[in-house]
Amino acid sequence: MGHQASLPYYIYKSHKEYGRKKMSHQPQVQNVLTLATALIVNTRKQVLLVRKKGTTAFMQAGGKIAPQETPLEALIRELKEELDYTITPQDADYIGCFTAPAAHEPGYMLAAHCYLITCTQPLSAQAEIEETIWVDPFSFPSVPLAPLTQEHILPLARHLLSNAG
């Protein structure tokens, strides 16, 4: 299984606490979707975003975790289905679990287990993925973003990439 990314403790803790506080200040939400998702970066320090068919918001690749799956098993399956991208457990570093409103399921919150992956191979939109784009996380993309991407993943990418060697 992958290992946790090398994040300063205060960053990991602050993101985790922010997610809890955000939920506590909103009305009770009964519907939570548990996902596995990836912060995929390339060698040019760009972040991969995907847009699913029939939607407008760009987000991370990944998807729902089946009852018999671990988050990492779900991520491996989803990346193969969505991007024809094969990874091993050693390719994915666990970052943490983040919460945000779902972009395309009104009334739902996401609990997203996120993994950091460095991509060195071509990716291809498959299955429900309509479009893939590589964005510079430091330039604030001009495309619509899912709340999870905007509130958690891109700020985390900026932190990780600015401290990368």
Side-chain angles (χ1 to χ4, degrees), residues 1 7 20 24 29 41 78 93 95-97 99 102 134 145 160 164:
M1 199 173 251
L7 291 176
R20 258 193 260 123
S24 69
V29 177
V41 298
E78 289 283 348
D93 291 323
I95 299 172
C97 187
T99 59
W134 289 99
L145 299 174
L160 290 172

Side-chain angles (χ1 to χ4, degrees), residues 38 40 48-51 60-62 76-86 119 121-129 131-134:
I40 300 174
L48 179 75
L49 299 179
V50 303
R51 186 178 57 77
Q60 277 54 60
I76 291 169
R77 175 184 51 77
E78 289 283 348
L79 293 180
K80 182 65 177 165
E81 290 173 5
E82 293 182 348
L83 300 168
D84 194 26
Y85 183 33
T86 302
C119 182
Q121 60 184 280
L123 304 174
S124 172
Q126 308 283 315
E128 72 265 24
I129 302 301
E131 186 177 2
T132 62
I133 58 172
W134 289 99

Side-chain angles (χ1 to χ4, degrees), residues 21-164:
K21 288 179 185 170
K22 186 171 182 72
M23 285 182 67
S24 69
H25 289 101
Q26 293 181 355
Q28 276 299 93
V29 177
Q30 299 297 319
N31 302 311
V32 177
L33 300 173
T34 304
L35 308 177
T37 189
L39 167 52
I40 300 174
V41 298
N42 64 19
T43 56
R44 297 187 324 180
K45 295 187 174 188
Q46 294 172 313
V47 173
L48 179 75
L49 299 179
V50 303
R51 186 178 57 77
K52 296 184 179 191
K53 292 177 183 171
T55 66
T56 56
F58 282 83
M59 61 190 63
Q60 277 54 60
K64 296 179 182 112
I65 301 169
Q68 74 283 4
E69 288 180 314
T70 67
L72 185 55
E73 290 168 341
L75 183 65
I76 291 169
R77 175 184 51 77
E78 289 283 348
L79 293 180
K80 182 65 177 165
E81 290 173 5
E82 293 182 348
L83 300 168
D84 194 26
Y85 183 33
T86 302
I87 65 165
T88 67
Q90 293 73 31
D91 296 327
D93 291 323
Y94 188 74
I95 299 172
C97 187
F98 304 96
T99 59
H104 303 294
E105 292 88 358
Y108 282 82
M109 290 293 290
L110 302 179
H113 294 272
C114 188
Y115 294 81
L116 176 63
I117 298 171
T118 301
C119 182
T120 58
Q121 60 184 280
L123 304 174
S124 172
Q126 308 283 315
E128 72 265 24
I129 302 301
E130 178 90 21
E131 186 177 2
T132 62
I133 58 172
W134 289 99
V135 298
D136 175 356
F138 296 96
S139 68
F140 300 99
S142 60
V143 297
L145 299 174
L148 178 71
T149 303
Q150 185 171 344
E151 296 171 13
H152 297 290
I153 305 303
L154 288 180
L156 185 58
R158 287 189 288 274
H159 172 78
L160 290 172
L161 294 172
S162 66
N163 292 319

